């Protein structure tokens, strides 16, 4: 019989019989784009390292995958980058999603995640941005089009479809996010501008 010893690299971390104790060092938290346990998840959702929010991946994820992301919690530090990335500004963004600036800043300093309710609003908003990115990709040549600047402007302008309300005033609830999503879809179809 051949009694070869398995290489530690051949076994997943923490499973190898030769090394039952976990490795020392800082633990990484599962981030927004850490893998929901699904073989059909978009590849960006399968990352295990610190995450950069991928709006398109969140939009294309299944509802169960998004629920998994919400239940894990969105790292507060990433939420701070979200609104800077989208050129909305943290003050406007936090207010729009009914997030306390002090709470987000405190949790970001501690390396903590948002609550499920807060995470759900953030994931819903990321899904809206992903929807816009998908629309732009499907529209053909988008050279020179700044989707994030357009989204920031569109979110903050009153819309007749909402009785003069701004989309940013509606995204603090899931129902409001649904209305904004429908308005984006109608824009794509040409139903109204």
């Amino acid at each position: 019989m051949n009694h070869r010893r398995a290489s530690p690299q051949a076994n997943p971390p923490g499973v190898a019989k030769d090394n039952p104790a976990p490795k020392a060092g800082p633990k990484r938290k599962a981030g927004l784009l850490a893998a929901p346990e699904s073989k059909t998840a978009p590849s960006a959702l399968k990352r295990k390292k610190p995450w950069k929010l991928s709006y398109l991946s969140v939009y294309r994820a299944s509802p169960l995958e998004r629920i998994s992301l919400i239940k894990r919690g969105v790292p507060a530090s990433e939420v701070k980058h979200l609104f800077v990335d989208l050129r909305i500004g943290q003050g406007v963004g936090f207010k729009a999603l009914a997030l306390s600036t002090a709470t987000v800043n405190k949790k970001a300093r501690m390396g903590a995640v948002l609550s499920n309710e807060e995470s759900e609003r953030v994931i819903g908003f990321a899904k809206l941005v992903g929807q816009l990115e998908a629309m732009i990709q499907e529209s053909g040549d988008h050279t020179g089009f700044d989707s994030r600047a357009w989204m920031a402007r569109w979110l903050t302008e009153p819309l007749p479809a909402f009785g003069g309300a701004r989309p940013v005033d509606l995204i603090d609830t899931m129902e409001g996010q649904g209305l904004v999503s429908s308005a984006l879809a109608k824009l794509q179809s040409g139903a109204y501008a």
Side-chain angles (χ1 to χ4, degrees):
M1 288 187 146
N2 187 357
H3 293 287
R4 290 177 54 188
R5 190 172 175 173
S7 165
Q9 286 87 10
N11 296 316
V15 177
K17 291 183 180 181
D18 295 341
N19 188 9
K23 292 183 180 181
K27 282 188 172 182
R28 292 185 185 216
K29 292 188 182 287
L32 178 66
L33 297 180
E37 309 310 328
S38 167
K39 293 183 180 184
T40 60
S43 62
L45 289 173
K46 292 184 178 183
R47 284 190 249 170
K48 295 283 187 187
K49 56 187 174 182
W51 52 278
K52 169 83 171 100
L53 189 61
S54 171
Y55 310 113
L56 201 54
S57 293
V58 170
Y59 173 68
R60 290 184 173 153
S62 74
L64 289 175
E65 290 166 336
R66 283 191 295 271
I67 289 167
S68 177
L69 296 173
I70 291 164
K71 288 184 177 184
R72 282 191 184 113
V74 175
S77 59
E78 188 62 24
V79 176
K80 292 173 63 73
H81 299 290
L82 172 69
F83 300 111
V84 172
D85 185 38
L86 294 174
R87 302 179 193 150
I88 293 174
Q90 288 183 3
V92 172
F94 289 167
K95 183 178 178 187
L97 292 179
L99 299 172
S100 162
T101 302
T103 300
V104 173
N105 287 335
K106 180 180 177 184
K107 287 183 177 185
R109 279 191 306 274
M110 295 172 25
V113 297
L114 300 179
S115 70
N116 285 356
E117 294 80 17
E118 295 163 332
S119 294
E120 183 172 33
R121 292 190 300 268
V122 171
I123 294 293
F125 182 68
K127 181 181 169 195
L128 288 172
V129 177
Q131 179 181 354
L132 174 63
E133 288 183 352
M135 287 169 45
I136 292 166
Q137 282 184 359
E138 294 166 7
S139 68
D141 183 18
H142 47 83
T143 306
F145 183 73
D146 187 345
S147 62
R148 304 235 167 109
W150 184 90
M151 180 70 141
R153 196 171 47 255
W154 185 78
L155 283 169
T156 57
E157 292 178 356
L159 290 180
F162 299 142
R166 304 173 311 160
V168 76
D169 298 327
L170 304 174
I171 62 173
D172 61 335
T173 65
M174 299 315 295
E175 196 69 27
Q177 288 182 3
L179 285 173
V180 172
S181 177
S182 294
L184 282 172
K186 288 177 182 177
L187 281 174
Q188 184 178 24
S189 70
Y192 59 76

PDB file of all heavy atoms in Angstrom, residues 67-94:
ATOM      1  N   ILE A  67     -30.390  38.069  -1.278  1.00  0.00           N
ATOM      2  CA  ILE A  67     -30.811  37.860   0.116  1.00  0.00           C
ATOM      3  C   ILE A  67     -29.622  37.400   0.957  1.00  0.00           C
ATOM      4  O   ILE A  67     -29.426  37.866   2.084  1.00  0.00           O
ATOM      5  CB  ILE A  67     -31.973  36.851   0.185  1.00  0.00           C
ATOM      6  CG1 ILE A  67     -33.251  37.473  -0.375  1.00  0.00           C
ATOM      7  CG2 ILE A  67     -32.194  36.357   1.623  1.00  0.00           C
ATOM      8  CD1 ILE A  67     -34.373  36.500  -0.637  1.00  0.00           C
ATOM      9  N   SER A  68     -28.819  36.519   0.414  1.00  0.00           N
ATOM     10  CA  SER A  68     -27.631  36.052   1.119  1.00  0.00           C
ATOM     11  C   SER A  68     -26.675  37.211   1.404  1.00  0.00           C
ATOM     12  O   SER A  68     -26.109  37.311   2.497  1.00  0.00           O
ATOM     13  CB  SER A  68     -26.932  34.968   0.291  1.00  0.00           C
ATOM     14  OG  SER A  68     -25.744  34.548   0.910  1.00  0.00           O
ATOM     15  N   LEU A  69     -26.503  38.087   0.435  1.00  0.00           N
ATOM     16  CA  LEU A  69     -25.642  39.258   0.622  1.00  0.00           C
ATOM     17  C   LEU A  69     -26.184  40.163   1.715  1.00  0.00           C
ATOM     18  O   LEU A  69     -25.438  40.670   2.554  1.00  0.00           O
ATOM     19  CB  LEU A  69     -25.522  40.039  -0.687  1.00  0.00           C
ATOM     20  CG  LEU A  69     -24.858  39.330  -1.860  1.00  0.00           C
ATOM     21  CD1 LEU A  69     -24.960  40.176  -3.119  1.00  0.00           C
ATOM     22  CD2 LEU A  69     -23.425  38.994  -1.549  1.00  0.00           C
ATOM     23  N   ILE A  70     -27.491  40.363   1.715  1.00  0.00           N
ATOM     24  CA  ILE A  70     -28.134  41.211   2.716  1.00  0.00           C
ATOM     25  C   ILE A  70     -27.942  40.625   4.104  1.00  0.00           C
ATOM     26  O   ILE A  70     -27.591  41.338   5.051  1.00  0.00           O
ATOM     27  CB  ILE A  70     -29.637  41.374   2.395  1.00  0.00           C
ATOM     28  CG1 ILE A  70     -29.806  42.226   1.131  1.00  0.00           C
ATOM     29  CG2 ILE A  70     -30.389  41.974   3.575  1.00  0.00           C
ATOM     30  CD1 ILE A  70     -31.186  42.151   0.501  1.00  0.00           C
ATOM     31  N   LYS A  71     -28.134  39.326   4.236  1.00  0.00           N
ATOM     32  CA  LYS A  71     -28.018  38.684   5.551  1.00  0.00           C
ATOM     33  C   LYS A  71     -26.582  38.686   6.069  1.00  0.00           C
ATOM     34  O   LYS A  71     -26.364  38.701   7.273  1.00  0.00           O
ATOM     35  CB  LYS A  71     -28.576  37.265   5.498  1.00  0.00           C
ATOM     36  CG  LYS A  71     -30.089  37.269   5.395  1.00  0.00           C
ATOM     37  CD  LYS A  71     -30.661  35.880   5.438  1.00  0.00           C
ATOM     38  CE  LYS A  71     -32.178  35.937   5.411  1.00  0.00           C
ATOM     39  NZ  LYS A  71     -32.774  34.620   5.541  1.00  0.00           N
ATOM     40  N   ARG A  72     -25.607  38.668   5.176  1.00  0.00           N
ATOM     41  CA  ARG A  72     -24.204  38.775   5.606  1.00  0.00           C
ATOM     42  C   ARG A  72     -23.901  40.173   6.112  1.00  0.00           C
ATOM     43  O   ARG A  72     -23.038  40.377   6.928  1.00  0.00           O
ATOM     44  CB  ARG A  72     -23.268  38.464   4.444  1.00  0.00           C
ATOM     45  CG  ARG A  72     -23.131  37.023   4.178  1.00  0.00           C
ATOM     46  CD  ARG A  72     -21.968  36.813   3.200  1.00  0.00           C
ATOM     47  NE  ARG A  72     -21.913  35.421   2.886  1.00  0.00           N
ATOM     48  CZ  ARG A  72     -22.174  34.909   1.710  1.00  0.00           C
ATOM     49  NH1 ARG A  72     -22.504  35.689   0.710  1.00  0.00           N
ATOM     50  NH2 ARG A  72     -22.128  33.617   1.513  1.00  0.00           N
ATOM     51  N   GLY A  73     -24.569  41.154   5.543  1.00  0.00           N
ATOM     52  CA  GLY A  73     -24.352  42.547   5.912  1.00  0.00           C
ATOM     53  C   GLY A  73     -23.341  43.214   5.005  1.00  0.00           C
ATOM     54  O   GLY A  73     -22.325  42.634   4.639  1.00  0.00           O
ATOM     55  N   VAL A  74     -23.637  44.437   4.654  1.00  0.00           N
ATOM     56  CA  VAL A  74     -22.746  45.233   3.817  1.00  0.00           C
ATOM     57  C   VAL A  74     -21.741  45.932   4.728  1.00  0.00           C
ATOM     58  O   VAL A  74     -22.136  46.603   5.678  1.00  0.00           O
ATOM     59  CB  VAL A  74     -23.539  46.283   3.009  1.00  0.00           C
ATOM     60  CG1 VAL A  74     -22.620  47.191   2.225  1.00  0.00           C
ATOM     61  CG2 VAL A  74     -24.536  45.606   2.088  1.00  0.00           C
ATOM     62  N   PRO A  75     -20.451  45.792   4.475  1.00  0.00           N
ATOM     63  CA  PRO A  75     -19.460  46.503   5.284  1.00  0.00           C
ATOM     64  C   PRO A  75     -19.680  48.010   5.196  1.00  0.00           C
ATOM     65  O   PRO A  75     -19.815  48.565   4.100  1.00  0.00           O
ATOM     66  CB  PRO A  75     -18.125  46.108   4.669  1.00  0.00           C
ATOM     67  CG  PRO A  75     -18.399  44.802   3.976  1.00  0.00           C
ATOM     68  CD  PRO A  75     -19.806  44.913   3.480  1.00  0.00           C
ATOM     69  N   ALA A  76     -19.724  48.655   6.344  1.00  0.00           N
ATOM     70  CA  ALA A  76     -19.968  50.099   6.391  1.00  0.00           C
ATOM     71  C   ALA A  76     -18.909  50.874   5.612  1.00  0.00           C
ATOM     72  O   ALA A  76     -19.216  51.890   4.985  1.00  0.00           O
ATOM     73  CB  ALA A  76     -20.025  50.570   7.843  1.00  0.00           C
ATOM     74  N   SER A  77     -17.680  50.389   5.617  1.00  0.00           N
ATOM     75  CA  SER A  77     -16.612  51.096   4.901  1.00  0.00           C
ATOM     76  C   SER A  77     -16.898  51.162   3.402  1.00  0.00           C
ATOM     77  O   SER A  77     -16.584  52.154   2.746  1.00  0.00           O
ATOM     78  CB  SER A  77     -15.262  50.434   5.152  1.00  0.00           C
ATOM     79  OG  SER A  77     -15.293  49.089   4.723  1.00  0.00           O
ATOM     80  N   GLU A  78     -17.506  50.130   2.850  1.00  0.00           N
ATOM     81  CA  GLU A  78     -17.806  50.120   1.418  1.00  0.00           C
ATOM     82  C   GLU A  78     -18.959  51.058   1.089  1.00  0.00           C
ATOM     83  O   GLU A  78     -18.992  51.662   0.021  1.00  0.00           O
ATOM     84  CB  GLU A  78     -18.119  48.709   0.929  1.00  0.00           C
ATOM     85  CG  GLU A  78     -18.248  48.607  -0.567  1.00  0.00           C
ATOM     86  CD  GLU A  78     -16.979  48.976  -1.339  1.00  0.00           C
ATOM     87  OE1 GLU A  78     -15.879  48.896  -0.787  1.00  0.00           O
ATOM     88  OE2 GLU A  78     -17.107  49.350  -2.517  1.00  0.00           O
ATOM     89  N   VAL A  79     -19.898  51.209   2.020  1.00  0.00           N
ATOM     90  CA  VAL A  79     -21.029  52.105   1.787  1.00  0.00           C
ATOM     91  C   VAL A  79     -20.527  53.540   1.652  1.00  0.00           C
ATOM     92  O   VAL A  79     -21.033  54.307   0.839  1.00  0.00           O
ATOM     93  CB  VAL A  79     -22.059  51.990   2.934  1.00  0.00           C
ATOM     94  CG1 VAL A  79     -23.188  52.989   2.759  1.00  0.00           C
ATOM     95  CG2 VAL A  79     -22.614  50.583   2.993  1.00  0.00           C
ATOM     96  N   LYS A  80     -19.520  53.881   2.430  1.00  0.00           N
ATOM     97  CA  LYS A  80     -18.952  55.224   2.348  1.00  0.00           C
ATOM     98  C   LYS A  80     -18.402  55.501   0.952  1.00  0.00           C
ATOM     99  O   LYS A  80     -18.522  56.611   0.436  1.00  0.00           O
ATOM    100  CB  LYS A  80     -17.859  55.408   3.395  1.00  0.00           C
ATOM    101  CG  LYS A  80     -18.392  55.424   4.827  1.00  0.00           C
ATOM    102  CD  LYS A  80     -17.302  55.437   5.852  1.00  0.00           C
ATOM    103  CE  LYS A  80     -16.425  56.634   5.826  1.00  0.00           C
ATOM    104  NZ  LYS A  80     -16.973  57.884   6.309  1.00  0.00           N
ATOM    105  N   HIS A  81     -17.816  54.492   0.318  1.00  0.00           N
ATOM    106  CA  HIS A  81     -17.260  54.655  -1.026  1.00  0.00           C
ATOM    107  C   HIS A  81     -18.345  54.690  -2.103  1.00  0.00           C
ATOM    108  O   HIS A  81     -18.142  55.260  -3.170  1.00  0.00           O
ATOM    109  CB  HIS A  81     -16.278  53.529  -1.344  1.00  0.00           C
ATOM    110  CG  HIS A  81     -15.116  53.481  -0.406  1.00  0.00           C
ATOM    111  ND1 HIS A  81     -14.133  54.439  -0.397  1.00  0.00           N
ATOM    112  CD2 HIS A  81     -14.796  52.599   0.562  1.00  0.00           C
ATOM    113  CE1 HIS A  81     -13.248  54.144   0.534  1.00  0.00           C
ATOM    114  NE2 HIS A  81     -13.628  53.035   1.135  1.00  0.00           N
ATOM    115  N   LEU A  82     -19.467  54.066  -1.820  1.00  0.00           N
ATOM    116  CA  LEU A  82     -20.553  53.954  -2.787  1.00  0.00           C
ATOM    117  C   LEU A  82     -20.981  55.308  -3.334  1.00  0.00           C
ATOM    118  O   LEU A  82     -21.049  55.510  -4.542  1.00  0.00           O
ATOM    119  CB  LEU A  82     -21.749  53.235  -2.145  1.00  0.00           C
ATOM    120  CG  LEU A  82     -23.049  53.170  -2.924  1.00  0.00           C
ATOM    121  CD1 LEU A  82     -22.887  52.262  -4.135  1.00  0.00           C
ATOM    122  CD2 LEU A  82     -24.161  52.642  -2.033  1.00  0.00           C
ATOM    123  N   PHE A  83     -21.243  56.250  -2.445  1.00  0.00           N
ATOM    124  CA  PHE A  83     -21.788  57.527  -2.892  1.00  0.00           C
ATOM    125  C   PHE A  83     -20.719  58.446  -3.477  1.00  0.00           C
ATOM    126  O   PHE A  83     -21.016  59.272  -4.328  1.00  0.00           O
ATOM    127  CB  PHE A  83     -22.549  58.198  -1.750  1.00  0.00           C
ATOM    128  CG  PHE A  83     -23.685  57.343  -1.278  1.00  0.00           C
ATOM    129  CD1 PHE A  83     -23.668  56.741  -0.035  1.00  0.00           C
ATOM    130  CD2 PHE A  83     -24.763  57.094  -2.112  1.00  0.00           C
ATOM    131  CE1 PHE A  83     -24.702  55.926   0.376  1.00  0.00           C
ATOM    132  CE2 PHE A  83     -25.807  56.280  -1.707  1.00  0.00           C
ATOM    133  CZ  PHE A  83     -25.773  55.696  -0.460  1.00  0.00           C
ATOM    134  N   VAL A  84     -19.488  58.272  -3.045  1.00  0.00           N
ATOM    135  CA  VAL A  84     -18.392  59.018  -3.666  1.00  0.00           C
ATOM    136  C   VAL A  84     -18.213  58.514  -5.098  1.00  0.00           C
ATOM    137  O   VAL A  84     -18.090  59.295  -6.038  1.00  0.00           O
ATOM    138  CB  VAL A  84     -17.087  58.857  -2.848  1.00  0.00           C
ATOM    139  CG1 VAL A  84     -15.912  59.465  -3.593  1.00  0.00           C
ATOM    140  CG2 VAL A  84     -17.243  59.488  -1.479  1.00  0.00           C
ATOM    141  N   ASP A  85     -18.241  57.191  -5.257  1.00  0.00           N
ATOM    142  CA  ASP A  85     -18.093  56.568  -6.568  1.00  0.00           C
ATOM    143  C   ASP A  85     -19.186  57.034  -7.525  1.00  0.00           C
ATOM    144  O   ASP A  85     -18.954  57.230  -8.707  1.00  0.00           O
ATOM    145  CB  ASP A  85     -18.124  55.047  -6.385  1.00  0.00           C
ATOM    146  CG  ASP A  85     -17.857  54.287  -7.667  1.00  0.00           C
ATOM    147  OD1 ASP A  85     -17.005  54.731  -8.459  1.00  0.00           O
ATOM    148  OD2 ASP A  85     -18.482  53.232  -7.867  1.00  0.00           O
ATOM    149  N   LEU A  86     -20.379  57.217  -7.003  1.00  0.00           N
ATOM    150  CA  LEU A  86     -21.513  57.605  -7.842  1.00  0.00           C
ATOM    151  C   LEU A  86     -21.692  59.115  -7.959  1.00  0.00           C
ATOM    152  O   LEU A  86     -22.630  59.580  -8.591  1.00  0.00           O
ATOM    153  CB  LEU A  86     -22.804  56.982  -7.300  1.00  0.00           C
ATOM    154  CG  LEU A  86     -22.860  55.473  -7.387  1.00  0.00           C
ATOM    155  CD1 LEU A  86     -24.093  54.942  -6.703  1.00  0.00           C
ATOM    156  CD2 LEU A  86     -22.828  55.034  -8.834  1.00  0.00           C
ATOM    157  N   ARG A  87     -20.827  59.859  -7.322  1.00  0.00           N
ATOM    158  CA  ARG A  87     -20.852  61.330  -7.391  1.00  0.00           C
ATOM    159  C   ARG A  87     -22.126  61.933  -6.824  1.00  0.00           C
ATOM    160  O   ARG A  87     -22.586  62.978  -7.280  1.00  0.00           O
ATOM    161  CB  ARG A  87     -20.633  61.797  -8.825  1.00  0.00           C
ATOM    162  CG  ARG A  87     -19.342  61.297  -9.390  1.00  0.00           C
ATOM    163  CD  ARG A  87     -19.158  61.756 -10.793  1.00  0.00           C
ATOM    164  NE  ARG A  87     -18.061  60.990 -11.371  1.00  0.00           N
ATOM    165  CZ  ARG A  87     -17.972  60.694 -12.626  1.00  0.00           C
ATOM    166  NH1 ARG A  87     -18.880  61.092 -13.462  1.00  0.00           N
ATOM    167  NH2 ARG A  87     -16.961  59.995 -13.066  1.00  0.00           N
ATOM    168  N   ILE A  88     -22.708  61.256  -5.863  1.00  0.00           N
ATOM    169  CA  ILE A  88     -23.894  61.787  -5.199  1.00  0.00           C
ATOM    170  C   ILE A  88     -23.482  62.544  -3.939  1.00  0.00           C
ATOM    171  O   ILE A  88     -24.088  63.521  -3.574  1.00  0.00           O
ATOM    172  CB  ILE A  88     -24.869  60.647  -4.839  1.00  0.00           C
ATOM    173  CG1 ILE A  88     -25.431  60.044  -6.107  1.00  0.00           C
ATOM    174  CG2 ILE A  88     -25.991  61.144  -3.954  1.00  0.00           C
ATOM    175  CD1 ILE A  88     -26.286  58.828  -5.879  1.00  0.00           C
ATOM    176  N   GLY A  89     -22.450  62.068  -3.298  1.00  0.00           N
ATOM    177  CA  GLY A  89     -22.016  62.643  -2.031  1.00  0.00           C
ATOM    178  C   GLY A  89     -22.581  61.825  -0.885  1.00  0.00           C
ATOM    179  O   GLY A  89     -23.715  61.345  -0.946  1.00  0.00           O
ATOM    180  N   GLN A  90     -21.771  61.650   0.137  1.00  0.00           N
ATOM    181  CA  GLN A  90     -22.185  60.810   1.257  1.00  0.00           C
ATOM    182  C   GLN A  90     -23.394  61.369   1.992  1.00  0.00           C
ATOM    183  O   GLN A  90     -24.304  60.613   2.339  1.00  0.00           O
ATOM    184  CB  GLN A  90     -21.025  60.612   2.234  1.00  0.00           C
ATOM    185  CG  GLN A  90     -19.964  59.698   1.694  1.00  0.00           C
ATOM    186  CD  GLN A  90     -18.857  59.443   2.696  1.00  0.00           C
ATOM    187  OE1 GLN A  90     -18.884  59.901   3.821  1.00  0.00           O
ATOM    188  NE2 GLN A  90     -17.860  58.689   2.271  1.00  0.00           N
ATOM    189  N   GLY A  91     -23.434  62.671   2.207  1.00  0.00           N
ATOM    190  CA  GLY A  91     -24.566  63.257   2.933  1.00  0.00           C
ATOM    191  C   GLY A  91     -25.891  62.979   2.249  1.00  0.00           C
ATOM    192  O   GLY A  91     -26.854  62.522   2.868  1.00  0.00           O
ATOM    193  N   VAL A  92     -25.935  63.236   0.951  1.00  0.00           N
ATOM    194  CA  VAL A  92     -27.158  62.998   0.168  1.00  0.00           C
ATOM    195  C   VAL A  92     -27.481  61.505   0.131  1.00  0.00           C
ATOM    196  O   VAL A  92     -28.623  61.095   0.311  1.00  0.00           O
ATOM    197  CB  VAL A  92     -27.010  63.567  -1.268  1.00  0.00           C
ATOM    198  CG1 VAL A  92     -28.183  63.165  -2.149  1.00  0.00           C
ATOM    199  CG2 VAL A  92     -26.870  65.073  -1.226  1.00  0.00           C
ATOM    200  N   GLY A  93     -26.450  60.682  -0.100  1.00  0.00           N
ATOM    201  CA  GLY A  93     -26.654  59.238  -0.188  1.00  0.00           C
ATOM    202  C   GLY A  93     -27.141  58.626   1.111  1.00  0.00           C
ATOM    203  O   GLY A  93     -28.076  57.818   1.118  1.00  0.00           O
ATOM    204  N   PHE A  94     -26.507  58.999   2.215  1.00  0.00           N
ATOM    205  CA  PHE A  94     -26.933  58.458   3.514  1.00  0.00           C
ATOM    206  C   PHE A  94     -28.365  58.867   3.821  1.00  0.00           C
ATOM    207  O   PHE A  94     -29.171  58.064   4.286  1.00  0.00           O
ATOM    208  CB  PHE A  94     -26.011  58.939   4.639  1.00  0.00           C
ATOM    209  CG  PHE A  94     -24.628  58.340   4.615  1.00  0.00           C
ATOM    210  CD1 PHE A  94     -23.624  58.881   5.399  1.00  0.00           C
ATOM    211  CD2 PHE A  94     -24.304  57.253   3.822  1.00  0.00           C
ATOM    212  CE1 PHE A  94     -22.340  58.351   5.400  1.00  0.00           C
ATOM    213  CE2 PHE A  94     -23.029  56.711   3.804  1.00  0.00           C
ATOM    214  CZ  PHE A  94     -22.047  57.261   4.597  1.00  0.00           C
TER     215      PHE A  94
END
